C-alpha cells in the first residue's frame, strides 16, 4: 500500500538525517512536504484505530502531497565535492528512487556516463527494500576513481586535494564498547556496519535485545563513529567502556587490533515476545573470552559469563 511505502520513506529519511549534517550535507527540497506526509499518515492511523466505516473520508490521501526530495552534498576521500539529487516516488521502495549526480570538473558527456553507471547499479539492488544509504555509499566509493579516470582521459584537470601529512596524533588507538537497549531496524544495522568500514574501524555489532557494538581503530575515527551512532534515534544507548592506547608506528598500531574487520555477529538468535530477538549469551561470552575480553561481559550484563551449555554437550 502507498501508506506503507511512505512510512518506510519517512523512517529512512529520519535515519539519514541522524547520520548526515542537515545544515551542510542533507537539504530537503521542501520540508513542508515531509510535514504534510507525516500529518496525513497520522490521520490515516487514527482513522484505522477509530474503525471508521468503509467509504467515509479517511484523512488526506498521500497523493495530495508532493514527492519527498532532497539533495546530498558530500566530499570524497580526495576532497571532491559531489552533489546527489534524490526524488522518491510515492511507491518507493516498491519502485526505484530517482537519483542523479553532479560533480564539478566533469564534462556533460562524463556526467551522463557516470549517471548511467549509477542507474545500472540501482537496477541490481534488492527490490522493495530501502536502498538510499547503499546508493550514497556506492557513489562515495566509486566517485574518486571515476573522476580520476575520466577527467584525465579528457584532458581535464581536477584540482588535487590537500592531503594532510601524517602525524603521531593519527596513531592514537581507541576501542569503544557501546550498549543499546535493542538493535532491530535493518537500515540502522546496515548503517552501523557501513559507517565502521568507511572509517577504517574493526570490531563487531550484535543485533537484538540488547544490542552490542564494539569498534576499534584510529582514535578520532572511533569518536566520530560514536557521535554519529548516538545521534540516531534510540530507546537507550550508552558508551559503557573505552580503551585508549598509543602506537609508536603504523605496524604496532595494527597489532593493537583484536578484530580483523567489522561485521555483524549472530549467536544462535532466538525470538521472544513481539519482534524481540535474544542471542545466546553463552556463545557471546565464549566469543569475548577467546579474544581476551571476558571482563567486558560483566560490564554489559552485571554477571560473570559462562560458556553456552550446547558447547559442553
Amino acid at each position: 500500500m502507498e501508506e506503507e511505502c511512505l512510512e518506510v520513506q519517512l523512517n529512512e529519511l529520519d535515519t539519514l538525517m541522524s547520520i548526515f549534517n542537515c545544515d551542510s550535507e542533507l537539504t530537503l527540497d521542501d520540508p513542508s512536504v515531509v510535514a504534510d506526509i507525516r500529518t496525513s499518515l497520522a490521520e490515516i492511523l487514527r482513522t484505522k484505530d477509530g474503525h471508521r466505516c468503509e467509504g467515509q473520508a479517511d484523512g488526506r490521501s498521500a497523493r495530495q502531497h508532493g514527492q519527498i526530495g532532497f539533495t546530498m552534498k558530500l566530499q570524497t576521500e580526495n576532497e571532491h565535492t559531489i552533489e546527489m539529487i534524490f526524488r522518491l516516488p510515492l511507491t518507493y521502495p516498491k519502485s526505484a528512487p530517482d537519483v542523479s549526480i553532479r560533480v564539478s570538473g566533469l564534462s556533460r558527456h562524463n556526467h551522463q556516463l557516470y549517471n548511467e553507471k549509477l542507474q545500472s547499479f540501482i537496477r541490481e539492488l534488492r527490490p522493495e527494500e530501502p536502498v538510499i544509504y547503499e546508493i550514497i555509499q556506492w557513489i562515495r566509493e566509486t566517485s574518486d576513481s571515476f573522476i580520476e579516470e575520466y577527467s584525465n582521459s579528457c584532458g581535464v584537470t581536477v584540482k588535487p586535494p590537500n592531503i594532510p601529512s601524517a602525524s603521531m596524533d593519527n596513531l592514537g588507538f581507541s576501542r569503544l564498547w557501546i550498549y543499546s537497549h535493542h538493535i532491530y531496524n535493518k537500515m540502522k544495522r546496515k548503517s552501523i556496519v557501513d559507517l565502521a568500514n568507511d572509517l577504517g574501524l574493526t570490531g563487531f555489532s550484535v543485533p537484538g535485545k540488547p544490542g552490542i557494538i564494539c569498534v576499534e581503530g584510529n582514535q578520532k575515527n572511533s569518536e566520530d563513529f560514536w557521535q554519529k551512532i548516538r545521534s540516531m534515534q534510540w530507546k537507550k544507548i550508552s558508551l559503557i567502556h573505552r580503551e585508549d592506547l598509543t602506537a609508536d608506528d603504523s605496524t604496532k598500531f595494527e597489532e593493537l587490533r583484536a578484530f580483523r574487520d567489522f561485521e555483524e555477529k549472530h549467536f544462535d538468535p532466538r525470538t521472544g515476545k513481539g519482534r524481540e530477538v535474544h542471542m545466546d549469551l553463552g556463545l557471546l561470552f565464549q566469543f569475548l573470552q577467546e579474544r581476551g575480553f571476558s571482563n567486558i561481559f560483566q560490564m554489559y550484563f552485571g554477571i560473570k559469563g559462562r560458556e553456552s551449555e550446547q558447547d559442553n554437550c
Side-chain angles (χ1 to χ4, degrees):
M1 292 178 62
E2 197 171 271
E3 290 82 8
E4 293 174 351
C5 291
L6 289 172
E7 187 174 0
V8 171
Q9 291 182 29
L10 291 179
N11 289 336
E12 186 172 19
L13 181 62
D14 287 341
T15 302
L16 291 171
M17 294 176 74
S18 70
I19 296 173
F20 299 101
N21 188 317
C22 293
D23 293 327
S24 60
E25 295 180 326
L26 190 156
T27 305
L28 292 173
D29 292 353
D30 186 352
S32 66
V33 170
V34 177
D36 287 345
I37 292 175
R38 290 190 196 279
T39 301
S40 177
L41 291 179
E43 289 176 358
I44 292 171
L45 181 61
R46 283 196 296 271
T47 298
K48 290 179 179 178
D49 290 343
H51 303 290
R52 184 169 293 183
C53 296
E54 186 177 354
Q56 284 186 283
D58 60 350
R60 296 176 63 187
S61 167
R63 290 189 181 277
Q64 291 178 293
H65 308 299
Q67 296 180 349
I68 293 177
F70 57 93
T71 299
M72 300 286 304
K73 188 175 288 186
L74 301 173
Q75 280 198 322
T76 68
E77 288 186 3
N78 290 346
E79 297 185 5
H80 298 301
T81 300
I82 295 190
E83 200 171 74
M84 313 168 209
I85 300 93
F86 292 87
R87 303 287 181 273
L88 306 185
L90 296 178
T91 52
Y92 169 79
K94 293 184 182 298
S95 59
D98 180 12
V99 191
S100 60
I101 318 170
R102 286 200 293 258
V103 184
S104 58
L106 284 183
S107 67
R108 179 180 297 181
H109 175 68
N110 288 338
H111 269 110
Q112 183 178 347
L113 287 177
Y114 198 9
N115 278 289
E116 287 174 357
K117 287 179 178 288
L118 171 63
Q119 298 310 316
S120 177
F121 170 75
I122 292 174
R123 286 192 293 271
E124 295 174 356
L125 294 175
R126 299 176 301 278
E128 301 191 11
E129 288 191 21
V131 294
I132 299 299
Y133 189 79
E134 196 167 347
I135 291 171
I136 293 171
Q137 293 303 103
W138 181 87
I139 294 172
R140 295 174 82 175
E141 291 169 2
T142 60
S143 54
D144 278 334
S145 59
F146 185 91
I147 292 169
E148 181 179 354
E149 178 182 356
Y150 284 89
S151 63
N152 290 342
S153 64
C154 297
V156 178
T157 302
V158 178
K159 184 180 179 181
N162 294 320
I163 302 174
S165 58
S167 68
M168 289 303 294
D169 292 340
N170 294 333
L171 298 181
F173 181 95
S174 291
R175 183 178 296 114
L176 308 183
W177 298 90
I178 301 167
Y179 168 91
S180 170
H181 178 271
H182 65 264
I183 305 176
Y184 294 133
N185 184 284
K186 287 184 178 179
M187 187 172 178
K188 267 186 189 173
R189 288 163 55 186
K190 187 176 187 309
S191 297
I192 290 168
V193 176
D194 288 344
L195 181 58
N197 287 326
D198 286 347
L199 293 171
L201 302 174
T202 51
F204 67 96
S205 62
V206 181
K209 183 179 180 182
I212 296 171
I213 306 171
C214 170
V215 290
E216 60 178 13
N218 178 279
Q219 189 173 83
K220 183 181 183 304
N221 290 355
S222 298
E223 291 170 352
D224 287 348
F225 176 90
W226 169 232
Q227 292 303 321
K228 287 182 181 293
I229 291 299
R230 72 185 299 190
S231 68
M232 297 180 184
Q233 292 183 340
W234 302 93
K235 182 170 183 178
K236 178 182 179 182
I237 192 166
S238 57
L239 179 64
I240 66 165
H241 185 58
R242 172 175 182 155
E243 304 167 58
D244 290 319
L245 304 166
T246 303
D248 295 330
D249 55 48
S250 58
T251 301
K252 291 184 179 179
F253 180 93
E254 293 302 319
E255 291 175 355
L256 293 174
R257 295 186 188 271
F259 306 95
R260 291 181 300 177
D261 50 22
F262 190 95
E263 61 181 335
E264 185 177 90
K265 302 292 292 185
H266 298 266
F267 301 100
D268 191 19
R270 300 169 189 180
T271 55
K273 293 172 57 178
R275 63 171 185 168
E276 288 185 1
V277 177
H278 302 276
M279 296 292 173
D280 186 315
L281 297 185
L283 292 177
L284 172 60
F285 173 72
Q286 182 179 340
F287 173 79
L288 293 172
Q289 186 180 48
E290 288 172 352
R291 287 153 183 81
F293 298 117
S294 56
N295 62 310
I296 296 295
F297 187 92
Q298 190 166 5
M299 293 182 187
Y300 274 105
F301 302 103
I303 57 174
K304 291 185 177 180
R306 64 177 184 178
E307 295 184 13
S308 174
E309 293 181 0
Q310 71 182 50
D311 291 331
N312 299 323
C313 296

